[in-house]
Amino acid sequence: HSTTATQTTQNPPTMTDNTPHTIRQVCIVGAGNASHALAALFPSRGIRTVWFAPYADEAARINAALAEPPHSIEAHFAPHNTPAGLVTGRPEVVSRDAAEVIPESDVIIMPLPSFAYAATLKEIKPYVKKGTYIGVTPGQGGFDWIAHEVLGDVANDLIFFAVMPMPFSCRTIAFGRSVRVQSFRKQYRVATVPESCADNTRSIVTQLFGNAESDGHFITATLYPINPIVHPQRLYRLCKDWTPGTTLPENPLFYESMDQESTDYMDAVNKELMKVAEALTEQGLTTNVPHIYDFLSWVYSDVPMKNMIELFAKNDAYKGFRCPFKQVDGGWEPDFQNRYFTEDIPLGLCIYKGVADIVGVETPMMDKVLEWAQKGMGKEYIVGGRLMGKDVGETTAPQRFGITTVEGLEGKHDKRAPDEEAPMQPATKVPRE
């Protein structure tokens, strides 16, 4: 089932070239669940594929697995997907050395958590060529700002795009060998910078994944209402009355026990975010931010739902997840070291808040959640309703990059120089989410 595309000679695109792009070679980055699925899917579609797995001995472990029968990655797609059943593929090269896989790749796909962006970009910087397309999914966390800071002038000759939503819900069965794909999305939205290459990125995503439509500037992906709209507000509902030294009686199902109060908080923050997008558009940067219910209804168009509660509680994609609580004597307490806090607050809500400050939009519900979360995390992000606390440098809000205007958000002036970058949390092992 694995075929390999014939490599063709093709000149790198200009920043205004909208000729549909034919992929010469795609490089998958990281060795998480989604990367395993991509390593089977892309070769099965006749696309020449290589795999950059820079962490520890992951590349060696994958190569060792591929050396044994069946000599390929096996992806088991649930019956309701297209494709369904067994899909197999074998990347041409798997390496922890960027020099072996990056230079000849005209498309790079990074299905990584936001905190891993900077370290990964530093590794590929010496080898990435002019005109390369670098895509992330789902694309939140200020990726394009991080890219410009890490890559410097190199970034001016690259095209960045975000694929929304994340294509898969999947779990690795055996590392380097097989993965189970519960859900493979049927349609996607693509945000691009520079916007002049939007037709190209839409073409690339269609070739790689399926039906795609363009969704404007990358700021749209940065502000899209996905995890930071859901996780912090749900946790605020469950834990806002908890105090250190006390316990919670149970660890409920995060989605299946969803209630009205939780979705009310999500709705309030999402509407504040939509006001931020409206203000950006009025101030010259067109931004398309939907309500999360409308977006997820589009993503899960085959799931019957009448409201936000049903969207989560009756959706197979959200079954079986418990809250990020840790068990202690007498019960449970919130785990403020969990990624629902460490990623969705500094790399999510703080970005929303930072952009809101730039365009002058008040965000009372967002502020309430941030003030509650930062207290539990031992951090200071907002002070007096503004993103100006001592720990802003640990976030990926625009202010962390020296961006304080709408023109800066659009990328129309020089931002913080690479050698002036603010301290950022070190990259750690990419979790197997």
Side-chain angles (χ1 to χ4, degrees):
H1 196 163
S2 175
T3 58
T4 303
T6 301
Q7 191 166 356
T8 58
T9 301
Q10 182 174 322
N11 293 325
T14 66
M15 295 296 107
T16 56
D17 181 6
N18 267 320
T19 304
H21 185 84
T22 300
I23 300 169
R24 298 194 307 274
Q25 176 173 292
V26 61
C27 181
I28 303 162
V29 178
N33 298 308
S35 292
H36 276 70
L38 297 178
L41 181 69
F42 291 166
S44 80
R45 295 190 162 181
I47 299 169
R48 180 178 173 85
T49 304
V50 295
W51 194 349
F52 178 44
Y55 181 78
D57 63 345
E58 289 181 333
R61 290 166 59 200
I62 295 168
N63 280 317
L66 290 173
E68 299 177 359
H71 306 293
S72 62
I73 303 293
E74 296 186 337
H76 301 268
F77 284 72
H80 62 273
N81 293 295
T82 303
L86 179 63
V87 173
T88 64
R90 181 187 176 104
E92 300 285 331
V93 180
V94 181
S95 180
R96 66 172 298 176
D97 183 358
E100 291 189 47
V101 289
I102 296 299
E104 299 305 317
S105 298
D106 57 319
V107 177
I108 299 170
I109 298 293
M110 296 171 49
L112 304 174
S114 304
F115 67 74
Y117 289 157
T120 303
L121 289 167
K122 285 177 184 177
E123 292 207 45
I124 71 173
K125 179 179 179 179
Y127 310 106
V128 68
K129 290 186 176 179
K130 179 179 179 179
T132 299
Y133 292 83
I134 301 181
V136 291
T137 182
Q140 300 194 298
F143 174 74
D144 59 326
W145 305 328
I146 296 170
H148 277 274
E149 180 173 81
V150 172
L151 300 176
D153 290 342
V154 172
N156 296 330
D157 295 322
L158 305 175
I159 302 97
F160 303 110
F161 66 97
V163 182
M164 305 168 288
M166 170 70 84
F168 308 106
S169 294
C170 59
R171 289 289 181 272
T172 301
I173 302 170
F175 188 83
R177 297 177 185 272
S178 59
V179 59
R180 180 176 291 108
V181 180
Q182 174 61 29
S183 177
F184 180 33
R185 315 292 186 247
K186 298 177 181 178
Q187 49 192 356
Y188 304 91
R189 291 174 179 166
V190 188
T192 309
V193 62
E195 281 188 83
S196 58
C197 291
D199 285 351
N200 275 348
T201 58
R202 183 186 56 77
S203 171
I204 288 168
V205 172
T206 299
Q207 293 171 67
L208 293 177
F209 301 112
N211 181 48
E213 59 186 58
S214 297
D215 212 358
H217 191 278
F218 205 99
I219 190 70
T220 291
T222 300
L223 298 181
Y224 234 65
I226 311 181
N227 288 347
I229 289 294
V230 179
H231 298 159
Q233 284 62 245
R234 172 69 167 144
L235 289 169
Y236 176 75
R237 154 70 179 95
L238 294 170
C239 306
K240 61 185 172 65
D241 296 324
W242 173 85
T243 56
T246 65
T247 59
L248 299 164
E250 63 173 341
N251 184 356
L253 289 162
F254 193 85
Y255 297 104
E256 291 163 85
S257 64
M258 190 67 67
D259 62 6
Q260 188 64 50
E261 186 176 354
S262 297
T263 59
D264 284 346
Y265 294 147
M266 294 176 199
D267 177 71
V269 173
N270 202 152
K271 286 177 177 174
E272 291 173 353
L273 183 62
M274 292 168 74
K275 289 182 180 178
V276 172
E278 290 168 4
L280 277 170
T281 299
E282 290 170 359
Q283 295 177 37
L285 179 54
T286 301
T287 308
N288 307 303
V289 173
H291 194 283
I292 190 169
Y293 178 77
D294 297 325
F295 175 58
L296 292 181
S297 296
W298 178 79
V299 172
Y300 300 108
S301 57
D302 55 344
V303 177
M305 63 183 87
K306 297 192 297 263
N307 52 50
M308 290 262 287
I309 295 174
E310 291 187 359
L311 186 156
F312 295 112
K314 296 185 176 182
N315 192 333
D316 287 345
Y318 294 113
K319 286 190 179 300
F321 295 94
R322 295 281 173 181
C323 295
F325 295 171
K326 55 185 178 182
Q327 196 159 15
V328 295
D329 289 343
W332 303 81
E333 64 182 25
D335 180 5
F336 289 101
Q337 300 304 311
N338 183 274
R339 70 182 182 89
Y340 282 18
F341 291 101
T342 60
E343 184 158 356
D344 292 329
I345 299 299
L347 314 182
L349 275 190
C350 284
I351 293 179
Y352 298 168
K353 179 61 182 175
V355 178
D357 283 354
I358 289 174
V359 295
V361 171
E362 296 297 319
T363 55
M365 187 68 231
M366 198 181 299
D367 294 357
K368 189 176 294 186
V369 175
L370 277 171
E371 287 168 355
W372 165 78
Q374 70 181 14
K375 184 177 180 180
M377 296 170 69
K379 300 292 184 179
E380 182 187 84
Y381 302 125
I382 64 171
V383 176
R386 300 278 292 178
L387 192 77
M388 53 188 296
K390 63 181 178 62
D391 295 313
V392 170
E394 297 179 5
T395 77
T396 51
Q399 289 80 355
R400 173 250 186 278
F401 302 95
I403 299 172
T404 58
T405 65
V406 173
E407 290 76 14
L409 293 173
E410 192 171 2
K412 286 188 174 178
H413 71 179
D414 291 337
K415 298 179 277 292
R416 189 192 304 275
D419 59 352
E420 296 175 350
E421 62 184 63
M424 195 171 183
Q425 292 172 314
T428 56
K429 182 176 180 180
V430 177
R432 307 278 175 241
E433 305 295 5

